[in-house]
Amino acid sequence: MNYTLAREIFESYLDHYDRTDDKVRLKIIHTYGVVGQSSAIARRMRLSEEDTELAKLIALLHDLGRFEQLRRFNSFEPDTMDHAAYGVQVLFEEGMIREFLAEDTWDPIIRTAIAKHSDYRLSGISDARTLLHAKLIRDADKLDNCRVKLTDATETLLGASAEEIGAQEISPDIYDAIFRNQCILSADRITAMDYWVSYIAYFFDINYRESMDIILENDYISRIIRRIPYSNPKTAEQMDKIEAYVKRYAESTTKPKVPCFCTESGIE
């Protein structure tokens, strides 16, 4: 694996898209942010050099399909395109993966991790190493999405200002889902506030303790919640309760350690 070469190929791929578009720019920055988070998680987990490089490559390619989705639909919504499936199609059915990686040794792991990185719930993986990388990319994706939710304009994310979002109510089913420790289906979101709450619900789908440590160290839960000024009194009260609940969950949750594919032990 040669991440530097893979990045050069990725940059060439991006030349087919409008880099000046805010949403395209957001996804480019996000891609490299996920690479950084994947590397950070792998380092904390003490994974082998090979698995660390593999995690970085998966991160680089995980949102390949997003750029075509934006060109065709100018939208991130899943009902316009399954960006994960499209990325798999371009890479594996059309063969672009060979431009990034000469060997096919890791193809099944890369394919599965990308295909499942945005699934509502991760399932159907029996191979331990594939499961490791499928979980790792999901965690890294969410960690960089914390940065996105803190730095990018809410108008770009949701088509509404922070003030407009905070004036809305949370749909009852969305609010209740938080206290069932559930992520929120895209189709169930109605208001912009529902979308904002769904970003908080991502924390219920963190797989590794190392990832949750990064969340807590950066105070992402409170910082994301407090980015919005809640002028709606009912929403403000509910968000206070959500903040307290999700922070308790994050602080108390213990995830099992992943088996380490360590070069020191001779296991790859």
Side-chain angles (χ1 to χ4, degrees), residues 53-144:
E53 290 301 297
L54 182 55
K56 289 168 60 179
L57 182 62
I58 291 169
L60 183 73
L61 302 178
H62 84 285
D63 262 355
L64 199 76
R66 279 293 192 197
F67 301 100
E68 189 64 22
Q69 181 185 23
L70 291 173
R71 178 159 67 182
R72 294 186 191 181
F73 304 103
N74 190 35
S75 172
F76 297 130
E77 290 301 306
D79 59 351
T80 61
M81 177 188 280
D82 184 336
H83 74 283
Y86 183 78
V88 168
Q89 175 186 321
V90 170
L91 288 167
F92 294 97
E93 295 174 23
E94 298 177 17
M96 192 179 181
I97 188 64
R98 293 285 75 83
E99 297 181 34
F100 292 100
L101 189 63
E103 298 179 55
D104 62 3
T105 305
W106 303 281
D107 280 12
I109 296 175
I110 298 169
R111 181 173 187 145
T112 299
I114 293 174
K116 292 182 172 289
H117 84 269
S118 59
D119 284 3
Y120 175 68
R121 184 177 290 110
L122 189 61
S123 63
I125 302 175
S126 57
D127 176 71
R129 197 176 187 189
T130 302
L131 185 59
L132 182 159
H133 284 284
K135 288 181 174 181
L136 200 156
I137 186 59
R138 288 168 69 89
D139 280 11
D141 196 14
K142 291 178 177 68
L143 287 178
D144 189 69

Side-chain angles (χ1 to χ4, degrees), residues 44-263:
R44 289 179 182 234
M45 293 172 69
R46 299 181 181 179
L47 297 186
S48 69
E49 181 179 353
E50 182 176 283
D51 276 300
T52 299
E53 290 301 297
L54 182 55
K56 289 168 60 179
L57 182 62
I58 291 169
L60 183 73
L61 302 178
H62 84 285
D63 262 355
L64 199 76
R66 279 293 192 197
F67 301 100
E68 189 64 22
Q69 181 185 23
L70 291 173
R71 178 159 67 182
R72 294 186 191 181
F73 304 103
N74 190 35
S75 172
F76 297 130
E77 290 301 306
D79 59 351
T80 61
M81 177 188 280
D82 184 336
H83 74 283
Y86 183 78
V88 168
Q89 175 186 321
V90 170
L91 288 167
F92 294 97
E93 295 174 23
E94 298 177 17
M96 192 179 181
I97 188 64
R98 293 285 75 83
E99 297 181 34
F100 292 100
L101 189 63
E103 298 179 55
D104 62 3
T105 305
W106 303 281
D107 280 12
I109 296 175
I110 298 169
R111 181 173 187 145
T112 299
I114 293 174
K116 292 182 172 289
H117 84 269
S118 59
D119 284 3
Y120 175 68
R121 184 177 290 110
L122 189 61
S123 63
I125 302 175
S126 57
D127 176 71
R129 197 176 187 189
T130 302
L131 185 59
L132 182 159
H133 284 284
K135 288 181 174 181
L136 200 156
I137 186 59
R138 288 168 69 89
D139 280 11
D141 196 14
K142 291 178 177 68
L143 287 178
D144 189 69
N145 265 310
C146 291
R147 178 198 57 77
V148 170
K149 301 310 180 289
L150 290 170
T151 60
D152 285 87
T154 58
E155 289 85 354
T156 302
L157 297 170
L158 294 175
S161 69
E163 290 73 21
E164 290 170 326
I165 296 168
Q168 298 178 3
E169 291 195 357
I170 307 168
S171 299
D173 288 347
I174 301 298
Y175 181 68
D176 291 345
I178 290 290
F179 301 97
R180 294 193 297 268
N181 299 355
Q182 288 182 354
C183 290
I184 293 165
L185 283 167
S186 298
D188 292 341
R189 301 179 294 192
I190 300 170
T191 69
M193 263 308 307
D194 291 347
Y195 277 77
W196 201 254
V197 172
S198 75
Y199 302 150
I200 306 303
Y202 285 162
F203 296 118
F204 296 128
D205 190 40
I206 294 297
N207 294 285
Y208 296 123
R209 182 72 249 175
E210 291 82 356
S211 306
M212 194 66 86
D213 287 343
I214 294 171
I215 290 165
L216 292 171
E217 288 164 14
N218 288 277
D219 197 23
Y220 280 141
I221 297 167
S222 291
R223 289 170 64 199
I224 292 172
I225 288 174
R226 294 301 153 195
R227 184 180 180 188
I228 301 298
Y230 303 108
S231 58
N232 183 303
K234 179 180 178 182
T235 300
E237 181 180 354
Q238 289 177 321
M239 291 306 289
D240 284 343
K241 293 178 180 178
I242 288 173
E243 179 180 9
Y245 183 83
V246 177
K247 287 183 77 171
R248 284 197 302 271
Y249 170 87
E251 290 164 357
S252 64
T253 299
T254 301
K255 298 293 184 181
K257 295 290 183 180
V258 67
C260 181
F261 298 90
C262 298
T263 54

